[in-house]
Amino acid sequence: MKRIPVWYAVVLLVGAALYVICRFYPADLPPWLPWEFSWPEYLATVLTFIWFARGLKALPADRRPPLWRLICFVAGVASFYIVLQTRIDYYAQHMFFVHRWAHFVLHHAGAFLIAMGMSGPVLWAGTPDFLRPVIKSRPVQATLNLLQHPVMAPFLFVGLLYFWLIPQIHTRVMLDANLYELMNWTMALNGVMFWSLILDSRPRPPARLGFLMRLLLIIVIELPQMVLGAILSLSMRDFYPVYTICGRVLDMTALNDQHYGGLIIWLPGTLTSFAAFITVLVNLRLHEEKHEREAV
């Protein structure tokens, strides 16, 4: 336990160094360093990895998730950092289709991998003692129960996607650094919460939802995403002139940029839902087979 403060001091020193060089020398940095350093995004990523490593060390081998799930979790968290704290974020601020790829990672692919990792017990084992009462407190648990309610969860998942793409709101957000960061946080957290609800391999209980309800929620979220993607990819009107105002960094017309962004919402989003549907069916079948073996 005496070594923990040393790790935190190192984290703060590295973060301070990144902040200084990103603040004063942004144009001289390689693409894998942040264009605009964010303390919350940096700390969330680094502390997650530290607590994850501590949890792996603390848990006995028989209580750890399989290696492939651990790899999924690490890859998912890393993908968040890559789209938010590398030069990709700069391109996402100047190209609509890159922005949609970044949000596809935050809301779908990366969140999907984190959920598949099912590493909650590992993180809990590595979480500092002073944070555990906060996480288990009644207000926090009540908030989680509300956000993962079978009615609220799909509403938020689709609602946030639509809300941040309302043209007037999107323009305001892309011109305000604080709102831009808030948008990214809500998409990432909502994605993790939704896919964790859907991809839990356990039956109910202890999982929050039964397998059939999870399949229904996947269907519920899919159609609105397809509609939004189709509108943006087929429309001949530029809904997001903010990218023209800020200046596109790639040689592409506004409509082509918007069309590609709409296709990203439409096609990869549909494939993610299809993968989730198959995963739930596999988990359902594995549970039925286990139940049949125990009944013999």
Side-chain angles (χ1 to χ4, degrees), residues 74-186:
V74 171
V77 176
S79 71
F80 280 10
Y81 188 83
I82 289 171
V83 299
L84 294 176
Q85 286 289 274
T86 67
R87 193 64 61 86
I88 291 174
D89 186 51
Y90 169 76
Y91 284 91
Q93 295 178 36
H94 293 81
M95 297 296 299
F96 180 70
F97 86 94
V98 180
H99 182 270
R100 296 323 309 155
W101 269 123
H103 272 209
F104 171 72
V105 171
L106 296 177
H107 208 219
H108 287 73
F112 192 101
L113 287 173
I114 291 174
M116 286 293 289
M118 291 193 65
S119 295
V122 179
L123 283 177
W124 182 254
T127 300
D129 293 337
F130 73 90
L131 278 181
R132 294 188 180 189
V134 177
I135 298 172
K136 295 179 68 175
S137 66
R138 183 174 297 180
V140 172
Q141 291 301 310
T143 301
L144 291 176
N145 290 335
L146 174 63
L147 296 179
Q148 291 193 309
H149 187 277
V151 174
M152 183 62 71
F155 174 78
L156 284 175
F157 188 83
V158 175
L160 284 172
L161 177 64
Y162 270 76
F163 176 78
W164 292 120
L165 286 177
I166 295 173
Q168 295 84 352
I169 293 177
H170 192 78
T171 297
R172 180 73 177 87
V173 168
M174 298 305 293
L175 297 175
D176 187 312
N178 293 325
L179 289 177
Y180 180 78
E181 190 161 347
L182 174 65
M183 173 183 63
N184 289 335
W185 273 95
T186 57

Side-chain angles (χ1 to χ4, degrees), residues 194-216:
F194 181 81
W195 292 119
S196 296
L197 189 67
I198 299 298
L199 301 175
D200 193 334
S201 63
R202 304 169 300 174
R204 181 189 180 190
R208 291 178 180 266
L209 299 179
F211 292 111
L212 295 182
M213 178 59 74
R214 301 179 213 180
L215 294 174
L216 176 61

Side-chain angles (χ1 to χ4, degrees), residues 158 161-162 218-230 265:
V158 175
L161 177 64
Y162 270 76
I218 295 172
I219 296 173
V220 167
I221 67 163
E222 181 51 35
L223 182 58
Q225 292 182 90
M226 293 176 65
V227 170
L228 178 60
I265 297 173

